[in-house]
């Protein structure tokens, strides 16, 4: 069975984090870069949000679709095949999971400028994912 409360909690986390990221991302560049806590906060909030999406995906894939996934990227593909998310969103979510992997495992390969650019241009993916999941589960 799907743990609805778990899903709702992760969706709330995603929404709260994206609101915070938007606030940081809207700070003018000179002010943003003047305080390293800004980029550190954005990195952390992005990681938390991506992890929340992945956790939701793994849960739905295992409990509703009955298909295991060995990675977040594979899991998002499972959701596309089951029509939980559309193919275009699944592609963006797979890219998101690759971005997460770089942040976690090869953080030296991504610049702080790329992280801020990601925060300024990709937050809609979190919202689209949350909306799709809630619609799929009739929440």
């Amino acid at each position: 069975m799907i743990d609805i409360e778990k899903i709702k909690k992760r969706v709330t986390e995603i929404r709260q984090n994206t609101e915070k990221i938007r606030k940081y991302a809207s700070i003018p560049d000179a002010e943003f870069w003047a305080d390293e806590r800004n980029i550190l906060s954005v990195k952390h909030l992005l990681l938390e949000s991506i992890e929340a999406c992945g956790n939701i995906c793994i849960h739905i894939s295992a409990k509703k679709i009955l298909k295991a996934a060995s990675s977040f990227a594979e899991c998002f593909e499972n959701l596309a095949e089951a029509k939980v998310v559309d193919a275009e969103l699944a592609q963006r979510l797979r890219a998101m999971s690759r971005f997460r992997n770089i942040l976690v495992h090869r953080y030296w390969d991504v610049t702080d400028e790329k992280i801020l650019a990601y925060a300024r241009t990709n937050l809609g993916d979190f919202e689209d994912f949350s909306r799709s999941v809630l619609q799929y589960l009739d929440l």
Side-chain angles (χ1 to χ4, degrees):
M1 294 293 293
I2 293 285
D3 184 342
I4 297 299
E5 290 309 310
K6 178 180 182 174
I7 301 291
K8 286 180 179 179
K9 187 174 181 179
R10 294 290 88 78
V11 167
T12 298
E13 214 173 274
I14 292 165
R15 285 182 179 156
Q16 290 172 342
N17 285 353
T18 55
E19 287 174 19
K20 291 174 188 174
I21 294 167
R22 269 203 178 81
K23 287 179 185 177
Y24 283 108
S26 69
I27 297 171
D29 284 354
E31 184 181 340
F32 182 88
W33 296 116
D35 187 344
E36 73 176 353
R37 291 175 293 186
N38 293 329
I39 192 64
L40 294 171
S41 296
V42 168
K43 283 180 193 179
H44 180 75
L45 292 165
L46 281 171
L47 282 171
E48 275 189 357
S49 299
I50 295 168
E51 288 289 326
C53 290
N55 288 332
I56 290 169
C57 184
I58 295 292
H59 187 68
I60 290 173
S61 190
K63 301 293 184 178
K64 188 89 168 164
I65 301 168
L66 305 177
K67 196 169 183 182
S70 61
S71 68
F72 286 167
E74 182 182 346
C75 188
F76 292 130
E77 186 61 37
N78 290 350
L79 292 192
E81 289 172 9
K83 306 292 188 219
V84 177
V85 299
D86 65 42
E88 182 183 321
L89 177 57
Q91 183 177 357
R92 295 192 321 263
L93 294 169
R94 286 192 308 272
M96 176 192 293
S97 70
R98 287 189 296 274
F99 181 72
R100 174 235 174 246
N101 290 342
I102 292 169
L103 283 175
V104 171
H105 302 293
R106 295 186 352 241
Y107 54 87
W108 57 86
D109 283 345
V110 63
T111 65
D112 289 345
E113 290 78 13
K114 283 186 180 179
I115 293 166
L116 179 58
Y118 188 93
R120 287 180 171 165
T121 59
N122 294 81
L123 294 185
D125 296 343
F126 295 110
E127 295 156 341
D128 293 345
F129 174 74
S130 297
R131 187 173 30 260
S132 295
V133 165
L134 294 175
Q135 184 177 12
Y136 176 77
L137 297 174
D138 287 323
L139 299 177

